[in-house]
Amino acid sequence: PFADERGATAAVLDVLRRTASNTSSMLAALQGNRPTENACISGRVAEEGRMSGVPVPVNEALHALVSSKEQLGMHACARWVEPDVAAGGSDDAVRRRRQRLCTREGGAPLEGVGVAEGNVGTGEAMAVARTVEEMRAVGHALRAAKQFAGWRGASGREADEETRAAEHRDASIPYTIGFVPTMGALHAGHLSLVEHAARECETVVVSVFVNPTQFNEAGDLAAYPRTFDRDVDALRASDRVHCVFAPPPAEIYPVVCDTGLLSHRAKLRSPAIDPKAAGDTSHAELFSCVRAAPMFDARREAAGRPGHFDGVATVCAKLFNVVQPDAVYLGQKDLIQTQVIRALARQLLLPVSVRVCPTFREPSGLAMSSRNARLSVTARQQAGAIFTCMREVKEYATSGAGAGMAASDVCARLRAALEAIPVVQAVEYVVAEDSVTGVELVSEPVVAHGAVLSLAVVVEGVRLIDNITL
């Protein structure tokens, strides 16, 4: 019996590693791109079981594993390496075994997936997928491990009290794979999303990808902080993440012609995408693009960032397609972004639940953002006054003195308070919007419409956004 899903996954992958170089009829079938006898038998049993309503978890798990190898090649599933706890030995010996398992026959390293080294033998291993193929391989392994865990629970073995408690806890978890999309430069706000995902999901995947299509200025893209090694260390230390997906831009945006289906002809220029690396230079700037709903173009946040939300919708559609999460976890700070992604999932009928978590703040009250790293220590501390102003205006607008205030008056009051903050160089916008429809409110009373106050300001040349629900 397996202690948990990670143990099941480790056992499954151990079998794959040990049989990867077998010269068997099954391997010959895989190499010849033919269905294996194992897949034919287990696949047929699994299909008959689904049609008749008879559970056959063992056959389903075997079929899932073999199918993943057929799709991804005989090495792909073996690239996610768990610590070799059972083998014991020194840390160096374990690392050598890991290195051996992460190389092809003849010693050539496997591309794409590495292992985020932790304290060897403690379970602190985390897959790092660098390509779409590798991320899909890890996804197949995670879901197959879940099927084996289900087989264990249905095996009829007498379980001790601890095992029964664990299975009862697992039964209360509503999702299988939770996904936290990020652009790296991780902070405590990102880690809080990981914690939310870990509480509700059996496995957690985090993407680290600086999406070039949602930047309007090449300088802004170039200045965006990139701290991948530190990000991996932070995620490993959290002991909540099973896989980090960190693809290069050319992997997410291959050069394609417009299909005319759920896309429009758009030149998404980005200095981060090398035309030569992409291949066909005549179409180096042409990518299929998912268009955000037109209603988002009218929002204040979109006014100075044309195409920004198209870039958000496009990259999320691609990431969801690769990771195939059951739930995605986003922060309330990026309010319109969360609404774009909700609309994306609804319009494209994506089987993913969009979970919006409270904004995580620094001790000063400043909303946590990767952009905060570009601020001086003094400005970062003083910028906490932005949230102080928001709370004071909220208290006034929802109290007896300000009851019934029109949205425009509330916004004017907040704008004046923000402009009085010494570190604020400019107030780009302050807007009140209906929290459900996103429609901008002007003469309507904000409290009656459940408004959200949103703003964008500039501090030391860095654009900061925030919002508060009234």
Side-chain angles (χ1 to χ4, degrees):
F2 303 113
D4 53 30
E5 280 68 29
R6 288 196 179 193
T9 305
V12 168
L13 295 177
D14 181 62
V15 172
L16 292 176
R17 289 195 295 264
R18 292 174 184 275
T19 60
S21 60
N22 285 2
T23 55
S24 63
S25 59
M26 175 178 171
L27 180 61
L30 287 173
Q31 291 172 331
N33 197 28
R34 300 186 303 273
T36 65
E37 55 191 270
N38 207 356
C40 290
I41 295 171
S42 294
R44 181 61 183 271
V45 172
E47 182 180 357
E48 292 293 334
R50 286 191 294 270
M51 293 177 63
S52 62
V54 176
V56 285
V58 178
N59 298 95
E60 289 176 350
L62 287 172
H63 180 53
L65 288 170
V66 174
S67 296
S68 69
K69 286 189 63 78
E70 287 177 335
Q71 292 178 37
L72 300 167
M74 67 179 183
H75 288 286
C77 287
R79 297 176 195 173
W80 184 38
V81 183
E82 285 283 355
D84 195 343
V85 180
S90 68
D91 286 2
D92 289 341
V94 173
R95 288 193 178 96
R96 284 196 297 272
R97 281 194 292 272
R98 285 182 176 181
Q99 182 62 35
R100 188 168 62 251
L101 292 171
C102 282
T103 58
R104 299 186 188 279
E105 295 178 13
L110 288 170
E111 298 85 1
V113 164
V115 174
E117 294 285 355
N119 296 322
V120 176
T122 64
E124 295 179 5
M126 182 175 66
V128 181
R130 297 280 191 172
T131 69
V132 168
E133 179 190 47
E134 300 292 351
M135 184 62 245
R136 285 179 171 154
V138 172
H140 279 296
L142 291 173
R143 293 187 186 277
K146 171 59 178 174
Q147 288 180 303
F148 265 98
W151 169 45
R152 177 203 65 198
S155 63
R157 296 191 183 94
E158 185 174 348
D160 57 27
E161 184 176 345
E162 183 178 350
T163 301
R164 286 195 298 272
E167 290 180 353
H168 177 73
R169 181 176 65 252
D170 290 346
S172 68
I173 299 177
Y175 304 110
T176 299
I177 295 181
F179 180 44
V180 181
T182 82
M183 294 208 299
L186 303 185
H187 49 67
H190 293 112
L191 297 180
S192 73
L193 297 179
V194 169
E195 288 293 335
H196 279 285
R199 283 198 292 269
E200 296 186 346
C201 305
E202 295 157 310
T203 55
V204 178
V205 176
V206 176
S207 65
V208 176
F209 178 68
V210 180
N211 179 32
T213 64
Q214 66 189 70
F215 287 85
N216 295 97
E217 299 294 335
D220 199 15
L221 173 61
Y224 195 87
R226 291 164 172 82
T227 57
F228 182 72
D229 290 341
R230 193 187 70 186
D231 295 342
V232 169
D233 288 343
L235 294 173
R236 183 187 63 231
S238 75
D239 197 29
R240 295 290 186 271
V241 180
H242 292 74
C243 180
V244 176
F245 181 37
E251 184 83 6
I252 297 299
Y253 293 104
V255 176
V256 294
C257 292
D258 181 35
T259 63
L261 177 65
L262 297 177
S263 65
H264 74 300
R265 201 172 176 89
K267 288 188 176 181
L268 301 176
R269 294 181 174 85
S270 170
I273 301 178
D274 183 359
K276 295 180 181 178
D280 183 358
T281 57
S282 63
H283 297 288
E285 293 179 334
L286 183 59
F287 301 88
S288 288
C289 176
V290 178
R291 187 71 198 275
M295 62 172 286
F296 294 108
D297 291 338
R299 306 286 285 274
R300 294 290 185 92
E301 180 64 16
R305 312 174 77 183
H308 169 74
F309 291 114
D310 290 350
V312 171
T314 299
V315 76
C316 285
K318 289 170 178 281
L319 292 174
F320 293 173
N321 183 43
V322 175
V323 178
Q324 296 190 357
D326 299 281
V328 60
Y329 292 80
L330 309 168
Q332 171 73 18
K333 178 180 73 71
D334 297 297
L335 176 66
I336 303 181
Q337 195 162 286
T338 66
Q339 294 172 341
V340 167
I341 295 171
R342 282 189 190 277
L344 173 74
R346 185 169 58 251
Q347 294 297 329
L348 298 187
L349 306 180
L350 301 178
V352 58
S353 174
V354 179
R355 312 284 284 175
V356 180
C357 306
T359 299
F360 204 84
R361 299 185 179 277
E362 298 187 3
S364 67
L366 178 64
M368 282 203 170
S369 170
S370 300
R371 294 172 181 266
N372 294 357
R374 296 165 56 186
L375 300 174
S376 66
V377 175
T378 301
R380 194 164 177 169
Q381 181 63 34
Q382 293 180 359
I386 296 170
F387 185 56
T388 301
C389 292
M390 295 170 67
R391 285 191 304 177
E392 291 175 350
V393 170
K394 174 181 178 176
E395 291 172 4
Y396 182 82
T398 55
S399 67
M405 282 185 69
S408 58
D409 295 333
V410 174
C411 291
R413 190 180 187 91
L414 178 54
R415 176 179 283 273
L418 294 171
E419 290 174 342
I421 301 174
V423 75
V424 172
Q425 296 171 311
V427 179
E428 189 174 299
Y429 70 79
V430 176
V431 62
E433 298 169 317
D434 187 287
S435 59
V436 177
T437 65
V439 173
E440 184 173 343
L441 306 176
V442 181
S443 59
E444 300 86 347
V446 291
V447 177
H449 285 76
V452 175
L453 283 179
S454 300
L455 60 86
V457 300
V458 178
V459 175
E460 289 190 336
V462 180
R463 187 175 185 273
L464 304 175
I465 62 173
D466 205 345
N467 60 76
I468 190 169
T469 301
L470 301 184

